[in-house]
Amino acid sequence: MLKIAKKQHKITLALITTAILLSLTTVHAQSIAQTVAGRILIQVEKNGEAWYVNADGSKRYFLGRPADAFNVMKELGIGISNADLRKISVGIINNTNSDTDSDGLDDQLEVALGTSYISADSDGDGFNDYDEVLNDFDPLGVGSLPIDKNFTSKLLGKIFLQVERNGEAWYVNPADGKRYFLSRPADAFNIMRSLGLGISNDDLDNITAYTPDYLLRQMEVEMQALINIKRAENGLPALIWNDELANVAREHSDNLASENAKFTGMGVTCSYSFIHHEGTDFGLYHNNRLNNRGIYYFDKTSENIAIIPGASFNYTYLLGDTIIDELNFCRNQHEAWNEEFKAEIEAAKDEEKILIINNEISRREQAFAQGREINVSKINWLSQTELAERTVEGWMNSPGHRANIIDADVTEAGIGAAYINGSVISTQVFIRRVDCGYKGAACCEKEPNYVFCYLPYACANNSVCQ
């Protein structure tokens, strides 16, 4: 069953007196934010969490895992030509990746620069590529690179995508005015942390967090622990955590997040979050998805999904603005569409469902494009634990989800979570593990003395299911 959580928005009317009362705090916050605009910040009083502050200093973005850091870089990147990119000095951090020609530049960096990764001296001028790049000489020709310090000074802290090549990402470090290549996710993460500036929690709190510091893998485990508490309260044994189930659940949540990226956002009038059990990428239902990832050792399975907002917002607007009417219209339309989709998908044949989902995505994407941006004056994030608790509470308050959680038959489960635009999508997959009767396992025996496998498998020579 589906549980679709509605995002609740807090509205604040900005009065002149309010602005005056808040002026001292605002000036302090703005001065800190402007000082660290474009910088990577390391939360030294906590666990060394890394954040990126956008170039205008208005927002910070959490760089949790390597994949998170890489996605932030890609999402915030601005297209730049090769000619303009050549005006910015290249920064080099100790190379730990493949370096075929042993010149000190890793192969992927050389591809981005256009130099040869099989020749240490691409232009054959007697100087190796590393030395030329490090000293702003042209590794592909005669003389110096066209470095422009004035041009670079306007780009400090920004992230650029190399549009005339393969969209390679570069970060212009405000500390030294050099651009650093953000290659694979792990490389981007390590580079950004190595360029980080330590900051206290108090100072960090003065910069609006546009993404939360959720560690999704930890949150998944928290949810499972909460669910096992609910099972214990109902006299049931704890579910065993299964990494393979979690990976399948995570993949479905990631796919749903990719869909939702097209029609959800923060600081917009209309956002149309949307979740569904049916998959469009690697199996229509969760049992199909398990099989398609090589998991067969079950004879019963079920699934819960939730999307829960982690943020509430304060919006400021002028008297006479129609924002309240627009927000109410969007909320009502969102609820109506969710009910329409639920009824349509439940009545449809399996072969019709993917088309229905794609049509729904298109409808929401078109409607989202018609909305407008609104001024977000404050973002309040739930803690990681609070969001885990709300997810489990939502499931327990829904009869279908609750039935899955307190099902005495299921023995194992895995949870996969994905973040998207202020909300977290969580998928939990349950199974009852069996020792025989699944693909590749021994045949089961059943009175009166015959052997069998679970559909759609058959016993081969009374020995193995296939």
Side-chain angles (χ1 to χ4, degrees):
M1 295 180 65
L2 301 182
K3 177 174 178 62
I4 298 189
K6 277 74 70 177
K7 187 176 293 184
Q8 301 298 317
H9 301 292
K10 296 172 65 177
I11 308 298
T12 301
L13 177 61
L15 301 176
I16 294 177
T17 52
T18 303
I20 293 172
L21 289 172
L22 296 180
S23 61
L24 292 177
T25 302
T26 302
V27 168
H28 176 60
Q30 286 179 346
S31 64
I32 292 173
Q34 291 302 320
T35 299
V36 297
R39 295 298 302 266
I40 309 299
L41 305 179
I42 306 298
Q43 208 167 343
V44 294
E45 293 178 348
K46 203 171 180 184
N47 299 308
E49 290 87 346
W51 299 82
Y52 167 69
V53 181
N54 64 345
D56 65 9
S58 63
K59 303 180 185 74
R60 57 184 163 104
Y61 298 79
F62 184 54
L63 308 175
R65 301 169 301 146
D68 300 323
F70 193 69
N71 288 336
V72 166
M73 297 297 99
K74 288 290 188 180
E75 290 172 11
L76 300 180
I78 305 167
I80 190 170
S81 67
N82 288 344
D84 281 343
L85 203 56
R86 281 167 57 85
K87 298 176 184 177
I88 310 170
S89 295
V90 177
I92 302 173
I93 289 179
N94 291 337
N95 172 37
T96 58
N97 295 319
S98 176
D99 181 7
T100 302
D101 57 11
S102 301
D103 63 354
L105 302 177
D106 78 61
D107 293 348
Q108 291 196 49
L109 174 57
E110 296 220 56
V111 170
L113 292 172
T115 55
S116 172
Y117 62 85
I118 60 174
S119 172
D121 181 9
S122 296
D123 56 7
D125 64 357
F127 298 97
N128 96 1
D129 294 338
Y130 176 91
D131 291 331
E132 294 205 74
V133 170
L134 186 65
N135 293 288
D136 291 337
F137 287 101
D138 190 348
L140 296 171
V142 178
S144 301
L145 288 167
I147 303 301
D148 187 334
K149 298 296 185 183
N150 289 330
F151 175 76
T152 301
S153 67
K154 301 173 185 176
L155 309 178
L156 298 179
K158 293 186 178 181
I159 300 155
F160 292 100
L161 302 178
Q162 204 167 342
V163 293
E164 293 178 352
R165 294 192 74 85
N166 300 307
E168 292 89 342
W170 298 84
Y171 167 62
V172 183
N173 182 24
D176 61 9
K178 295 186 176 184
R179 58 182 164 110
Y180 290 82
F181 180 49
L182 306 173
S183 178
R184 293 165 297 194
D187 301 325
F189 184 72
N190 290 334
I191 286 172
M192 294 169 76
R193 291 188 68 86
S194 69
L195 298 176
L197 172 71
I199 190 169
S200 69
N201 291 345
D202 285 344
D203 284 343
L204 191 67
D205 287 342
N206 284 309
I207 308 168
T208 299
Y210 199 70
T211 57
D213 57 346
Y214 298 151
L215 299 173
L216 295 180
R217 299 300 167 263
Q218 289 182 8
M219 187 185 296
E220 294 163 357
V221 174
E222 285 186 53
M223 290 180 195
Q224 182 100 330
L226 292 169
I227 282 166
N228 280 333
I229 290 172
K230 300 299 182 183
R231 284 177 64 86
E233 291 171 354
N234 286 273
L236 298 173
L239 294 169
I240 299 169
W241 177 272
N242 184 315
D243 281 330
E244 291 185 319
L245 302 184
N247 286 336
V248 171
R250 203 168 289 137
E251 192 171 356
H252 187 55
S253 291
D254 286 341
N255 289 341
L256 293 174
S258 294
E259 290 177 4
N260 276 264
K262 303 172 184 176
F263 40 76
T264 61
M266 296 174 62
V268 293
T269 50
C270 297
S271 198
Y272 299 100
S273 58
F274 173 49
I275 56 176
H276 47 86
H277 288 285
E278 298 76 15
T280 59
D281 293 298
F282 69 113
L284 187 60
Y285 298 115
H286 53 281
N287 59 309
N288 307 133
R289 295 191 282 273
L290 291 172
N291 288 169
N292 289 339
R293 292 297 179 260
I295 302 170
Y296 303 99
Y297 46 78
F298 61 91
D299 68 345
K300 182 176 184 179
T301 179
S302 53
E303 179 182 78
N304 285 345
I305 307 178
I307 181 167
I308 304 294
S312 60
F313 317 102
N314 288 347
Y315 294 143
T316 57
Y317 62 98
L318 299 175
L319 288 174
D321 197 313
T322 61
I323 186 173
I324 297 296
D325 293 336
E326 292 179 47
L327 290 170
N328 287 334
F329 171 80
C330 294
R331 183 183 65 249
N332 293 335
Q333 182 168 256
H334 187 197
E335 292 175 351
W337 283 359
N338 288 343
E339 291 303 315
E340 289 174 15
F341 171 77
K342 181 179 178 181
E344 186 177 10
I345 204 76
E346 288 179 352
K349 298 177 181 178
D350 284 353
E351 59 268 25
E352 300 170 333
K353 291 186 176 181
I354 290 181
L355 177 60
I356 291 171
I357 291 169
N358 288 335
N359 287 341
E360 189 65 25
I361 289 171
S362 178
R363 172 165 75 165
R364 294 178 187 234
E365 190 173 0
Q366 291 175 20
F368 179 75
Q370 301 304 312
R372 63 172 169 127
E373 293 186 5
I374 48 183
N375 183 38
V376 177
S377 61
K378 187 177 182 182
I379 303 176
N380 303 297
W381 292 100
L382 295 176
S383 71
Q384 179 175 301
T385 297
E386 287 172 331
L387 196 141
E389 290 172 344
R390 289 198 183 185
T391 301
V392 174
E393 287 171 7
W395 280 335
M396 290 300 294
N397 291 329
S398 168
H401 296 88
R402 185 178 187 277
N404 288 339
I405 289 172
I406 62 170
D407 184 349
D409 287 341
V410 296
T411 56
E412 301 179 24
I415 298 177
Y419 172 81
I420 183 66
N421 290 335
S423 295
V424 171
I425 298 173
S426 301
T427 301
Q428 182 169 34
V429 178
F430 308 82
I431 66 164
R432 176 169 63 188
R433 181 183 280 266
V434 292
D435 296 322
C436 65
Y438 61 89
K439 185 177 180 180
C443 298
C444 290
E445 293 187 6
K446 190 172 184 179
E447 296 296 338
N449 300 319
Y450 69 89
V451 293
F452 73 99
C453 297
Y454 302 112
L455 293 177
Y457 311 120
C459 260
N461 300 320
N462 296 342
S463 61
V464 110
C465 293
Q466 62 181 24

